[in-house]
Amino acid sequence: MKEMDRILENIAIRAWSTHFRRDPKQVNALQEMDAELIEIQGLSNHYLAVTIDTVAEEITTGLYQDPYTMGWVTVMASMSDLAAVGAEPTGLVISVSCEPKRDDAFIQKVAEGMEDACRKLDTHILGGDTNVTESISLTACSLGLVKKDKVISRMGCKAGDTLFISGAAGSGNALGLARLTGLPEDWYPEQNYRPLVNIKAGQLVAKYANCCMDTSDGVLTTVDQLMRLNNVGFSLDCNWERILDQHTLEL
């Protein structure tokens, strides 16, 4: 666990967690899962899975400039954590905080991105909250159900296991590169960046894999976190042209 505390985000999460009591009905320990699993009275065969994600820094730093992207990623980022624990989504609640200067057209595009992402995943926004603030912040809290006999976490990988990824990688890195270096928009249009969650793949993985983790923070970051949690190393000897998405390869 000492290795976990060399990552700044892990340090922040651990510092916050010291202020709160742990629910005895919670299945997972700190950092063990992408979503929190809770024992609910009356649910004999399932756990309730809960996760929350905020998209704010990516907007204020200019990484996301298209309001449709902002809405799309808000949903996908949260739902990806449900997929990583093999959950069947129940729906989302959202919190939207915007500056008073944002016009109706901007809000509409954010909402379109959220709704299209929900339709892609066959889920729904159940409700939420709106606020007027100095800077935009979009939050989604996703809820789902996990079968008790199909629980999977970040823990459990061991020597001899094979590491898989369920979809193409690299689009976030490509967009970041384009923004940081000031590349012309047509070199890597923001519309190329549409991360997609595979809910069914998560449920399939839960049946057969030893562990699983969402890669929305980056593939190498994910591998690093799994290494620290499980006290193992990984040998990456793979064909990156098969792993990276086509637009990233072109860039």
Side-chain angles (χ1 to χ4, degrees), residues 165-211:
I165 186 170
S166 64
S171 60
N173 303 77
L175 180 60
L177 175 66
R179 292 282 187 258
L180 290 171
T181 59
L183 291 175
E185 177 65 21
D186 59 350
W187 280 45
Y188 194 85
E190 187 171 330
Q191 289 74 18
N192 287 349
Y193 178 69
R194 292 291 181 265
L196 182 62
V197 175
N198 192 331
I199 296 294
K200 295 302 180 184
Q203 295 167 354
L204 182 65
V205 165
K207 292 181 180 181
Y208 301 106
N210 289 331
C211 69

Side-chain angles (χ1 to χ4, degrees), residues 95-150:
S95 177
V96 177
S97 300
C98 281
E99 313 93 326
K101 66 181 180 180
R102 296 290 184 183
D103 57 23
D104 290 342
F106 180 92
I107 300 301
Q108 180 178 339
K109 292 299 291 184
V110 172
E112 286 178 4
M114 289 180 172
E115 176 61 14
D116 285 353
C118 285
R119 288 177 181 267
K120 194 72 175 179
L121 301 178
D122 192 25
T123 192
H124 300 84
I125 292 174
L126 305 175
D129 181 47
T130 60
N131 299 278
V132 177
T133 55
E134 293 183 359
S135 59
I136 187 169
S137 177
L138 306 172
T139 297
C141 175
S142 295
L143 308 170
L145 296 175
V146 173
K147 292 181 179 180
K148 290 184 176 180
D149 61 349
K150 295 292 188 295

Side-chain angles (χ1 to χ4, degrees), residues 54 64 140 157 203 221:
T54 296
Y64 302 160
C157 61
Q203 295 167 354
T221 301

Side-chain angles (χ1 to χ4, degrees), residues 4-202:
M4 293 292 293
D5 289 336
R6 294 183 180 180
I7 305 298
L8 291 178
E9 185 179 18
N10 292 343
I11 295 173
I13 291 172
R14 183 171 294 279
W16 274 100
S17 69
T18 60
H19 299 285
F20 309 129
R21 294 171 299 155
R22 199 73 173 168
D23 191 326
K25 297 187 295 294
Q26 189 163 359
V27 174
N28 56 293
L30 189 68
Q31 298 280 14
E32 284 188 354
M33 289 185 175
D34 287 270
E36 312 303 323
L37 297 193
I38 311 295
E39 179 93 45
I40 300 295
Q41 186 176 2
L43 284 179
S44 58
N45 298 320
H46 293 82
Y47 294 117
L48 175 66
V50 184
T51 184
I52 189 167
D53 269 286
T54 296
V55 175
E57 181 181 4
E58 299 91 340
I59 301 173
T60 57
T61 59
L63 180 63
Y64 302 160
Q65 298 176 7
D66 182 350
Y68 185 94
T69 304
M70 301 173 192
W72 176 277
V73 174
T74 299
V75 171
M76 289 294 175
S78 184
M79 294 297 288
S80 66
D81 289 336
L82 286 189
V85 297
E88 180 68 38
T90 300
L92 309 89
V93 289
I94 60 171
S95 177
V96 177
S97 300
C98 281
E99 313 93 326
K101 66 181 180 180
R102 296 290 184 183
D103 57 23
D104 290 342
F106 180 92
I107 300 301
Q108 180 178 339
K109 292 299 291 184
V110 172
E112 286 178 4
M114 289 180 172
E115 176 61 14
D116 285 353
C118 285
R119 288 177 181 267
K120 194 72 175 179
L121 301 178
D122 192 25
T123 192
H124 300 84
I125 292 174
L126 305 175
D129 181 47
T130 60
N131 299 278
V132 177
T133 55
E134 293 183 359
S135 59
I136 187 169
S137 177
L138 306 172
T139 297
C141 175
S142 295
L143 308 170
L145 296 175
V146 173
K147 292 181 179 180
K148 290 184 176 180
D149 61 349
K150 295 292 188 295
V151 173
I152 191 167
S153 73
R154 297 174 177 178
M155 310 295 292
C157 61
K158 58 186 184 301
D161 284 355
T162 301
L163 186 65
F164 292 89
I165 186 170
S166 64
S171 60
N173 303 77
L175 180 60
L177 175 66
R179 292 282 187 258
L180 290 171
T181 59
L183 291 175
E185 177 65 21
D186 59 350
W187 280 45
Y188 194 85
E190 187 171 330
Q191 289 74 18
N192 287 349
Y193 178 69
R194 292 291 181 265
L196 182 62
V197 175
N198 192 331
I199 296 294
K200 295 302 180 184

